[in-house]
Amino acid sequence: MFISLLYDTSLIQSSMPTALHPPSSPLRHHHGVRRHHRHLLPSSPFFLPVKPLSLSPSISLYNPFSSSSTSPQQLLLDSQENHVEDDKYDSISTSGVAESFNFDESFDSTELKKFETPAVEVSELEDIPDQWRRARLAWLCKELPAHKTPTMVRILNAQRKWFRQEDGIYIAVHCMRIRENEAAFRVYKWMMQQHWFRFDFALATKLADYLGKERKHLKCREIFDDIINQGRVPCESTFHILIIAYLSAPGPLVLDEACSIYNRMVHLGGYKPRLNLHNSLFKALLGKTRGSSKHFLKQAEFIYQNLTSSRLEIHSDIFGGLIWLHSYQDVVDMERIVALRAEMRSRGIKESKEVLMSVLRACSKDGNVEEAERTWSKLLSIDGNPPSQAFVYRMEVYAKIGEPTKSLEVFRRMQEQLGSTSVAAYHKIIKVLSKSQKFDLADSIMSEFINSGMKQLIPSFIDLMGMYSVAGLHEKLESTFLRCREVCHPNLTVFNIYMDSLVDTGNLNLAEEIFNEMRRNVAIGVNSRSCNSILRGYMTSGEYVKAEKIYNWMCQKKYDIEIESSLMERLDYVLSLREKVVEEPIRLKLKPEQREVLTGLLLGGVQIKSDGQRRLHAIHFEFNEESRIHSIFKRHIHDEFHEWLGSHDMMVDSTADIPSSFTTISHSCFTFYADQFWPNGRPCIPKLIHRWLSPRVLAYWYMYGGYRTSSGDILLRVKGSSEGVVSILKALKAKSLDCRVKKRGRAFWIGFLGDNATFFWKVVEPFILNELKELLKAGGDSDGSLEIQCINFDSGLESNEKNSVYSEADTLSD
């Protein structure tokens, strides 16, 4: 006899979590108490309270099936609601103006209609004929959820002689009823490995839906792929819940996956997504930075087409967002923008200030002066004091048609009307005047920019130096370079332009000094352009020995050789004159220093990415863009591991900064570190860590994952087990480094306080980068380091190395 378990597949209501119906007690059935098969509702006298889903407050905002008191568009990216971030030196980003898309205000209430999903058929315990089997299943239902994966697998393996699929389904359903969805997933995956396993579409659907509701998107995706691999089409609920789970998850690629699943939902499943799913995904597209969002234009258009074909209500911000995305394309489709504006008017939607700003931006790229002026007039009718960015767009429009003096007039009118000038406006007018070779005007406004006390002068210095380089005014270029050094931090592009000028004028000695300074100073560094410039200088002046050295170094670092063909032929000839040695192919191998650096970075939080078979591994470096320390440190790491980087991460444009994250190639050399530091795809502290804590390891751990407090204390952050932290503490104690440790969430903070911080600094100082010593020195101000919440090492249970016996109770505290 079977009973159909019809679970509620809508996402958990924010007002009252939907309770799964608890199973009849296995032990009661074992003693002969028999019940009728029926659904147990909360009002039923047989209803037993069950543990609700544990959803954090932040996750609950993403619930598309919330109560009427919660807006259906409080699903995604509330922290990014009114922020559109641009590139570091993009003139558009410095205006401080960001378009906001307020999806939460006007959307219809959430659809509360439940999805239709298949019912899971499972036997009642009393219908199983054998008493010993009933007792064993009752014991497994009680025992399995209490154990982690290895123990659970061992217990299930011990039942192989008698265990069958219907038993596994019963246990999996029981785990889902009591909200132990992780345990149900492990039972399901174990069942798949057995020879008797038959795919159960209903069970897979229910399990995927419940995992997705708990925002476990990777496990939900795994079952989703299993369904497709079986030749079945997942239910609409599974598509919907998985998309929402991806949108709720952190990470750089979750939005791409959400879009992919959405497209498959329409094309493969033939489903018509609900209004709130369209809006949630569209809002996520707009929540990315300008540079990332513009690549999602086709996806946004696809969502708009689905909304239109389904005859659903289209919110005004859908139109505004589409026009915004079109305006940021490299090649603007003005016809499409005109069509969208016409559609807005036909629906009675008024053009907001944000929409007019997007149209003005598009006109500035297209050089459409007439439309730009009409849009400008509409903008003035809405707001008598338009944003400063609107003036910047008008300046760019006139620059497009070759009228820089008109751009200058707009710039001066902006100063008069607004009484102030934005950084973006200075960047734009200097760029316009530099391109048109207006030397005196550009230099005059640059002086005005410097005297204003505003920051971010480097883009304008680059424009000025480029102007003088094109005109061949090397003396002017040199004076601009020297002025830049006085008022700005060192910059790679600025140094490259100056070194090119020195090579072109034949001042090779000074060019060589500049190149060596760039290599020594990690705040500047070198790239392919720098190396090719000095190589060209050596070859032109006949310094063939030096040219061969720099050529070999470039080959070692895998920099591309880009010099004139005539110089390249001469270089090949010089290399051919050397004594020929049978050259073995260059094999990548970590140097001893790189091994120590990598160990320190892994302790500090660097991640390892592995393939499915865990044979090849890659190191993923990620740096905090808000930290001045990381902005300097990432260039050093990029240079240190340049030969290990993939082709995409190697090719850093000469005008661009080092990216905030980059990944090495997958290589077997990283297998040792993956086994020691990331054995199960999670950070771990190796058992032999006490052997590897050299001063260089500690220094790089501090530079990447450490902080200096305002009082001058030093903190090191590490993730792993308590046993691993104890091993680190013992090793530090053996080096006379006294410290304390505090647990915060999943991380441990090792603190060197007072004199202990000073002694720690003496140990690591020789390996700290010179440019970071002032920022990290113990006992000074914490300028450049990120502010963190104060950690009180004197409260709660902690480890004080002076008195500790290294027991876990003494070491850890929450």
Side-chain angles (χ1 to χ4, degrees):
M1 182 175 183
F2 292 93
I3 182 171
S4 297
L5 301 180
L6 300 175
Y7 300 133
D8 179 8
T9 58
S10 63
L11 294 181
I12 306 303
Q13 303 290 325
S14 62
S15 58
M16 181 184 72
T18 304
L20 287 178
H21 309 313
S24 304
S25 172
L27 296 179
R28 287 191 178 184
H29 289 305
H30 177 62
H31 289 292
V33 179
R34 187 177 181 88
R35 294 181 179 176
H36 296 291
H37 307 309
R38 59 183 177 181
H39 298 298
L40 301 181
L41 301 176
S43 58
S44 169
F46 297 100
F47 177 79
L48 298 177
V50 296
K51 182 176 70 174
L53 279 174
S54 176
L55 295 179
S56 64
S58 61
I59 291 180
S60 66
L61 293 176
Y62 303 110
N63 178 9
F65 290 89
S66 58
S67 66
S68 59
S69 63
T70 304
S71 172
Q73 272 59 48
Q74 290 176 341
L75 302 175
L76 302 165
L77 306 174
D78 285 356
S79 63
Q80 302 177 13
E81 174 77 7
N82 298 316
H83 181 65
V84 179
E85 182 182 356
D86 288 326
D87 295 335
K88 184 175 181 181
Y89 290 135
D90 188 353
S91 62
I92 294 177
S93 69
T94 55
S95 65
V97 176
E99 291 87 344
S100 60
F101 301 94
N102 300 316
F103 285 87
D104 296 336
E105 293 183 355
S106 306
F107 278 144
D108 290 342
S109 60
T110 304
E111 304 101 330
L112 297 178
K113 181 181 177 182
K114 298 178 182 179
F115 291 106
E116 294 181 2
T117 55
V120 181
E121 294 184 345
V122 59
S123 301
E124 285 285 6
L125 193 62
E126 65 267 25
D127 295 328
I128 299 176
D130 300 321
Q131 181 178 355
W132 66 269
R133 185 184 291 269
R134 293 198 301 270
R136 190 66 64 88
L137 282 177
W139 177 78
L140 288 173
C141 287
K142 178 182 178 182
E143 195 71 20
L144 289 178
H147 294 287
K148 295 183 179 180
T149 302
T151 304
M152 178 182 286
V153 170
R154 286 196 296 268
I155 293 175
L156 288 171
N157 286 339
Q159 321 301 320
R160 281 179 172 172
K161 290 184 179 180
W162 65 272
F163 201 91
R164 292 297 177 265
Q165 179 151 331
E166 54 270 20
D167 303 320
I169 293 176
Y170 182 87
I171 295 174
V173 169
H174 169 79
C175 291
M176 284 189 283
R177 283 167 164 169
I178 63 174
R179 296 294 189 271
E180 293 289 349
N181 297 319
E182 287 274 3
F185 176 78
R186 293 195 289 267
V187 172
Y188 174 81
K189 298 303 291 185
W190 181 85
M191 289 168 56
M192 291 183 64
Q193 300 174 5
Q194 310 309 311
H195 65 88
W196 39 256
F197 176 75
R198 300 182 311 278
F199 179 74
D200 190 320
F201 178 73
L203 177 64
T205 299
K206 297 300 179 187
L207 183 54
D209 289 357
Y210 275 91
L211 290 169
K213 294 171 188 177
E214 289 188 338
R215 304 299 185 257
K216 301 183 185 300
H217 63 285
L218 295 179
K219 291 183 173 61
C220 179
R221 177 61 183 270
E222 194 170 339
I223 301 178
F224 175 86
D225 292 337
D226 291 340
I227 295 174
I228 293 180
N229 292 336
Q230 291 292 329
R232 304 293 298 272
V233 177
C235 291
E236 182 181 359
S237 64
T238 307
F239 278 105
H240 187 113
I241 293 170
L242 182 56
I243 293 171
I244 294 297
Y246 265 110
L247 294 179
S248 306
L253 300 177
V254 292
L255 182 56
D256 299 271
E257 292 296 330
C259 292
S260 173
I261 297 167
Y262 172 87
N263 296 340
R264 294 169 79 176
M265 182 180 185
V266 176
H267 295 303
L268 176 64
Y271 299 115
K272 293 185 177 180
R274 302 184 179 188
L275 176 61
N276 59 350
L277 185 61
H278 290 298
N279 294 333
S280 298
L281 185 57
F282 197 92
K283 183 179 180 182
L285 299 182
L286 300 182
K288 302 289 285 184
T289 62
R290 187 271 303 172
S292 302
S293 284
K294 71 177 185 179
H295 301 300
F296 288 102
L297 176 61
K298 290 184 178 179
Q299 183 67 47
E301 288 281 8
F302 183 60
I303 295 173
Y304 172 78
Q305 292 174 8
N306 290 331
L307 284 167
T308 305
S309 61
S310 301
R311 297 184 178 180
L312 296 173
E313 179 186 358
I314 301 180
H315 190 267
S316 60
D317 280 339
I318 297 291
F319 289 104
L322 270 177
I323 296 174
W324 182 81
L325 288 172
H326 273 285
S327 70
Y328 271 120
Q329 300 303 306
D330 296 330
V331 179
V332 178
D333 187 353
M334 288 300 297
E335 293 183 0
R336 179 58 180 158
I337 293 178
V338 170
L340 289 171
R341 297 177 70 187
E343 182 69 19
M344 289 180 67
R345 288 192 295 270
S346 67
R347 294 173 179 263
I349 300 175
K350 294 183 178 179
E351 292 180 333
S352 64
K353 182 170 67 174
E354 288 75 18
V355 171
L356 294 177
M357 288 290 292
S358 296
V359 174
L360 200 56
R361 183 188 305 112
C363 292
S364 70
K365 292 186 175 183
D366 197 48
N368 192 336
V369 178
E370 295 180 0
E371 184 61 34
E373 289 300 332
R374 283 195 295 267
T375 306
W376 172 257
S377 299
K378 292 181 180 180
L379 193 60
L380 288 177
S381 64
I382 295 177
D383 187 355
N385 291 318
S388 61
Q389 192 63 39
F391 289 92
V392 175
Y393 294 144
R394 290 188 68 209
M395 291 158 54
E396 189 172 358
V397 168
Y398 288 112
K400 279 282 186 180
I401 62 173
E403 294 189 13
T405 54
K406 280 279 191 180
S407 300
L408 183 58
E409 290 177 8
V410 175
F411 177 76
R412 294 305 183 190
R413 193 175 303 130
M414 172 189 176
Q415 290 178 319
E416 295 174 2
Q417 186 170 345
L418 300 183
S420 62
T421 309
S422 66
V423 173
Y426 274 118
H427 285 173
K428 179 58 64 179
I429 192 60
I430 293 173
K431 179 184 287 291
V432 169
L433 296 175
S434 297
K435 284 187 176 180
S436 58
Q437 298 284 298
K438 302 290 185 180
F439 304 110
D440 295 335
L441 285 174
D443 193 64
S444 173
I445 293 182
M446 187 69 213
S447 300
E448 181 182 327
F449 190 15
I450 295 173
N451 296 331
S452 68
M454 295 181 179
K455 303 298 182 182
Q456 299 184 9
L457 302 171
I458 288 178
S460 295
F461 273 117
I462 292 174
D463 290 331
L464 281 180
M465 294 176 66
M467 174 183 68
Y468 292 132
S469 177
V470 171
L473 302 176
H474 297 288
E475 293 182 359
K476 277 282 191 180
L477 189 150
E478 184 174 25
S479 64
T480 305
F481 170 77
L482 296 176
R483 186 163 52 159
C484 179
R485 294 198 69 170
E486 293 177 359
V487 297
C488 299
H489 293 295
N491 178 267
L492 174 61
T493 305
V494 171
F495 273 75
N496 276 338
I497 296 174
Y498 181 52
M499 189 168 64
D500 287 341
S501 174
L502 294 175
V503 171
D504 291 339
T505 56
N507 194 347
L508 187 60
N509 292 331
L510 185 54
E512 188 176 16
E513 291 180 13
I514 292 295
F515 181 77
N516 292 333
E517 180 183 352
M518 294 168 67
R519 290 186 63 179
R520 290 193 305 268
N521 191 337
V522 296
I524 309 173
V526 296
N527 60 3
S528 179
R529 176 180 175 181
S530 315
C531 297
N532 280 287
S533 180
I534 196 67
L535 177 61
R536 177 166 58 90
Y538 286 145
M539 292 302 300
T540 303
S541 60
E543 297 280 356
Y544 299 129
V545 175
K546 292 182 179 180
E548 184 179 0
K549 288 182 179 180
I550 196 65
Y551 171 81
N552 292 333
W553 187 77
M554 291 175 68
C555 291
Q556 179 185 352
K557 284 293 185 180
K558 294 189 176 181
Y559 285 118
D560 294 330
I561 311 298
E562 298 173 351
I563 56 177
E564 293 86 347
S565 57
S566 58
L567 294 180
M568 193 66 205
E569 292 175 1
R570 194 185 308 174
L571 178 62
D572 291 337
Y573 175 73
V574 170
L575 295 174
S576 66
L577 295 178
R578 304 298 179 192
E579 182 179 355
K580 293 188 176 180
V581 180
V582 179
E583 295 184 359
E584 297 182 0
I586 299 176
R587 296 181 179 179
L588 286 175
K589 184 177 180 180
L590 287 169
K591 302 172 186 175
E593 295 82 3
Q594 288 178 321
R595 292 181 177 275
E596 288 188 277
V597 169
L598 194 53
T599 300
L601 295 177
L602 287 168
L603 287 172
V606 163
Q607 301 179 10
I608 296 181
K609 296 183 177 180
S610 307
D611 59 5
Q613 293 76 30
R614 288 190 60 80
R615 295 179 180 176
L616 296 176
H617 311 272
I619 310 297
H620 179 68
F621 303 98
E622 190 160 350
F623 299 88
N624 194 319
E625 295 179 352
E626 298 178 2
S627 171
R628 183 180 168 193
I629 293 173
H630 274 204
S631 65
I632 297 174
F633 188 56
K634 68 181 178 181
R635 181 171 295 281
H636 169 69
I637 297 301
H638 190 275
D639 293 342
E640 185 72 20
F641 291 92
H642 187 272
E643 67 270 27
W644 293 91
L645 301 180
S647 57
H648 174 73
D649 292 313
M650 277 185 180
M651 298 177 62
V652 177
D653 188 86
S654 60
T655 61
D657 198 359
I658 299 294
S660 59
S661 63
F662 45 88
T663 306
T664 67
I665 58 174
S666 297
H667 200 278
S668 58
C669 280
F670 302 125
T671 301
F672 170 79
Y673 297 94
D675 294 340
Q676 294 293 326
F677 290 91
W678 284 74
N680 299 312
R682 294 181 178 179
C684 174
I685 300 175
K687 294 182 179 179
L688 299 178
I689 190 62
H690 59 280
R691 297 184 180 179
W692 306 330
L693 292 180
S694 65
R696 179 180 274 112
V697 169
L698 294 175
Y700 277 82
W701 182 6
Y702 179 30
M703 286 187 285
Y704 183 76
Y707 299 90
R708 185 185 61 179
T709 66
S710 57
S711 60
D713 298 330
I714 291 176
L715 307 179
L716 299 180
R717 185 174 182 268
V718 66
K719 285 187 177 181
S721 64
S722 57
E723 293 81 5
V725 174
V726 170
S727 299
I728 292 176
L729 298 179
K730 288 182 178 179
L732 294 174
K733 178 68 174 180
K735 300 176 185 294
S736 301
L737 293 172
D738 292 334
C739 58
R740 297 183 179 184
V741 66
K742 190 85 170 181
K743 186 178 182 183
R744 279 289 181 88
R746 299 180 180 179
F748 295 89
W749 290 91
I750 299 175
F752 300 88
L753 314 180
D755 294 337
N756 295 327
T758 303
F759 187 73
F760 176 85
W761 175 253
K762 291 180 179 179
V763 172
V764 301
E765 183 181 8
F767 303 96
I768 299 291
L769 302 180
N770 292 329
E771 292 72 20
L772 297 181
K773 287 185 178 180
E774 289 299 321
L775 299 174
L776 294 174
K777 184 177 180 181
D781 297 331
S782 58
D783 179 35
S785 181
L786 289 176
E787 292 295 331
I788 60 172
Q789 186 177 0
C790 180
I791 298 178
N792 184 7
F793 287 91
D794 295 324
S795 64
L797 293 177
E798 66 179 22
S799 170
N800 185 340
E801 280 298 310
K802 296 179 181 178
N803 304 313
S804 175
V805 293
Y806 306 111
S807 64
E808 183 173 344
D810 293 333
T811 306
L812 309 178
S813 66
D814 291 325

